[in-house]
Amino acid sequence: MAGVVALTGATGFIGGALCQPLVQAGWRVRALARRPPGRVLASEIEWIRGDLNDTAALRRLVADADSVIHCAGAVRGRSLKVFERVNVHGSERLLRTARGESRCARFLFMSSLAAREPTLSWYAASKRHAEEVLQQQSGALALTIFRPTAVYGPGDRELSLLFLLLRHGLLPVPGNQQARLTLLHVHDLVTAVLRWLDSSPPATGTFELHDGRAGGYSWQTIAAIAARVQGRPVRLLHLPYTGLTLAAAVNLRLARWLGYQPMLTPGKLRELRHPDWICDNDALAATLGWRPRIDLEYAMRKGLNG
Ligand SMILES: NC(=O)c1ccc[n+]([C@@H]2O[C@H](COP(=O)([O-])OP(=O)(O)OC[C@H]3O[C@@H](n4cnc5c(N)ncnc54)[C@H](OP(=O)(O)O)[C@@H]3O)[C@@H](O)[C@H]2O)c1
């Protein structure tokens, strides 16, 4: 048995994708869940009912754990406060609890490439702030920060609409036509996490992750790949700048009024319109020997895009 891993976010896309591979690799997985986990998630997992706000639940989560993988996070919200509560204060509470557990030697924070551009959105600002707070407070705990770019694959809800439209021969472009985007398949992210767990001494630092495609993707390249794989043309659908800006502003107003957490907000639009999401795997490759294996064309050909 490799040891005990405390996992957060296991009911979500990335944490959920980690469950089975962790169990298969011999780890005893203890996972935090705010709601009963779905049947598809590994039944070998010990579930701890609770929230990142609940210190007692966090203590049960990290008791006797060797490592913490922190994937829980707010990815949508109607104010900075919503993001800070989970991404900053929740992460800080978890780290402090892990520091109190003598066995626990390493802590992986699933941040985001967005943290590189904290002025774009509340989400990005909260991820950067969380990184800073965790770095200040990690003490003797080996802290590693992963900054994955946009992640896709089975179980993803955010990019699945894009893939659905691609299958219908359409690629919506939300703004900047010259933008360079990057992508990462969730299976490659899982492999990186498993490598991190096996690293000895624990690899520490802040690492960007993408699928390794040099120079990233343009919207045109994505359309061309989909057209090649599907054997039919894919049309770029340029979304009107003003209309989309207005829709994001109205959605935010409605969310505040009706009390839901919106995905499309002015901040999310700024992220989508940002011209340069090119990133670099070199640091992680040098540290963990990790190399991504799945690019967009391979994923689409093999039906791995979810
Ligand atoms: N997906 C991407 O493209 C991407 C890219 C870069 C970084 N990331 C980061 O990776 C992490 C996981 O993303 P994801 O795509 O898997 O998101 P997701 O599917 O929305 O899952 C988020 C997870 O966090 C949990 N959670 C949220 N607030 C919580 C709280 N207060 N207490 C306890 N658990 C809480 C959710 O629980 P419930 O199921 O109960 O809601 C869920 O399990 C996030 O931190 C995100 O910022 C994601």
Side-chain angles (χ1 to χ4, degrees), residues 11-14 34-35 52 71-73 111 123 127 148 151 157:
T11 53
F13 166 46
I14 293 174
R34 298 192 292 183
R35 57 190 167 91
L52 287 170
C71 292
S111 182
Y123 171 70
K127 284 292 190 181
V151 184
R157 281 167 304 197

Side-chain angles (χ1 to χ4, degrees), residues 5 49 52 59 102 114 122 125 137-138 148 150 224 240-241 243 249 265 267:
V5 171
R49 193 68 184 266
L52 287 170
R59 276 204 206 99
S102 56
W122 294 321
Q137 302 202 7
S138 57
Y241 191 95
T265 59

Side-chain angles (χ1 to χ4, degrees), residues 172-176 219 237-241 244 269 272-273:
V173 179
N176 194 331
W219 293 105
L237 181 66
H238 296 286
L239 303 176
Y241 191 95
L244 200 55
L269 255 194
L272 288 170
R273 288 171 172 162

Side-chain angles (χ1 to χ4, degrees), residues 92-132:
E92 183 181 8
R93 195 170 296 111
L94 177 63
L95 181 104
R96 280 168 175 270
T97 313
R99 275 187 63 181
E101 172 53 54
S102 56
R103 269 185 76 96
C104 191
R106 64 180 82 198
F107 187 106
L108 176 65
F109 175 49
M110 198 59 72
S111 182
S112 164
L113 189 61
R116 202 173 72 183
E117 305 290 344
T119 57
L120 289 179
S121 65
W122 294 321
Y123 171 70
S126 71
K127 284 292 190 181
R128 172 66 83 84
H129 189 188
E131 289 183 358
E132 289 164 358

Side-chain angles (χ1 to χ4, degrees), residues 8-17 32-36 50-54 58 70-76 82 85-87 90-91 93 109-114 123 126-127 146-152 155-159 184 186 189 263:
T8 69
T11 53
F13 166 46
I14 293 174
L32 186 73
R34 298 192 292 183
R35 57 190 167 91
D51 192 272
L52 287 170
N53 291 326
D54 179 349
L58 297 184
H70 177 32
C71 292
V75 297
R76 50 178 75 205
V82 168
R85 193 163 50 225
V86 180
N87 295 346
S91 301
R93 195 170 296 111
F109 175 49
M110 198 59 72
S111 182
S112 164
L113 189 61
Y123 171 70
S126 71
K127 284 292 190 181
F146 276 6
R147 283 182 171 180
T149 185
V151 184
Y152 69 100
D156 162 50
R157 281 167 304 197
E158 309 305 343
L159 289 181
L184 176 65
V186 71
L189 179 54
M263 179 51 83

Side-chain angles (χ1 to χ4, degrees), residues 4 21 60 71 136 143 178 193 207 220 229 240 244 255 270 298 303:
V4 177
R60 289 199 298 280
C71 292
Q136 282 157 13
L143 171 69
Q178 268 68 52
V193 174
F207 302 98
Q220 292 81 352
V229 172
L244 200 55
R270 283 192 292 276
Y298 182 85

